[in-house]
Amino acid sequence: MDSIDRAILAELQRDGRITNQDLADRVGLSPSPCLRRVRQLEADGAIIGYRAEVSGKALGLPITVFVELTLEHHTTESTEVVEEHINAIEHVTECYLMAGDGDYLLKIAVGSLEEYEVLVRSKIRSIPAVSSIHTSFAYATIKERSPLPVQAGKSWRRTGS
């Protein structure tokens, strides 16, 4: 991946609906080579998809909940079953397998505290092998859906003091 590929990725993260012509202009290519590079980045798995970002509030889901699940045991079979259950819960928008105290971290969107309670009672508690559930509610979003840094070889450095 060279600097032009990285520039393409940076631009597409800012605006996934940009036209190929505008993208080519921004990264200093003509349209045909730009489109070839985009298609190659897709084929290589650097670009994994395109989507619209939708407001949870607009859908009546203003509450973001983070749930840490800890498992009783960690067999291949039990983790497969746990992950199947998690994937079947539509309110779970993200799920991460964690190192540390908890095993899974879920990001959940709900409309109310009552809705979350029903979700816990009907779906989350019924997940086999879960020994504990720890819930945290987000009351403000400080930074959300930031683009990934695409510049290779550049590390974060504190400037000033």
Side-chain angles (χ1 to χ4, degrees):
M1 188 177 301
D2 64 14
S3 62
I4 294 175
D5 290 334
R6 292 179 186 286
I8 289 169
L9 293 174
E11 291 298 330
L12 287 173
Q13 284 188 98
R14 277 189 214 94
D15 181 3
R17 294 182 58 160
I18 189 172
T19 66
N20 184 57
Q21 179 66 56
D22 289 342
L23 178 60
D25 291 345
R26 288 186 190 174
V27 300
L29 290 175
S30 60
S32 291
C34 182
L35 185 57
R36 275 194 300 276
R37 283 180 179 252
V38 169
R39 288 186 175 147
Q40 189 61 52
L41 288 165
E42 291 169 347
D44 291 345
I47 297 172
I48 57 174
Y50 301 89
R51 65 177 185 208
E53 293 182 26
V54 179
S55 165
K57 288 179 184 176
L59 295 176
L61 302 168
I63 299 174
T64 301
V65 186
F66 293 94
V67 178
E68 183 179 85
L69 301 179
T70 304
L71 303 184
E72 292 173 351
H73 45 329
H74 299 88
T75 66
T76 301
E77 296 80 18
S78 67
T79 56
E80 287 174 357
V81 169
V82 167
E83 291 171 12
E84 285 176 23
H85 276 78
I86 291 169
N87 280 311
I89 303 171
E90 69 177 337
H91 288 274
V92 175
T93 61
E94 297 177 42
C95 176
Y96 300 92
L97 181 61
M98 304 298 288
D101 293 332
D103 295 306
Y104 292 93
L105 180 64
L106 284 58
K107 182 178 178 184
I108 296 175
V110 293
S112 66
L113 297 179
E114 293 81 9
E115 187 177 332
Y116 176 66
E117 178 186 2
V118 169
L119 186 68
V120 168
R121 289 175 182 264
S122 66
K123 305 275 183 168
I124 296 174
R125 279 192 193 156
S126 68
I127 299 173
V130 170
S131 66
S132 70
I133 301 167
H134 178 80
T135 301
S136 298
F137 293 94
Y139 62 90
T141 300
I142 308 305
K143 184 176 182 178
E144 187 174 52
R145 294 185 195 102
S146 295
L148 292 171
V150 295
Q151 299 305 317
K154 293 191 176 189
S155 62
W156 179 82
R157 291 191 193 126
R158 176 171 259 161
T159 56
S161 278

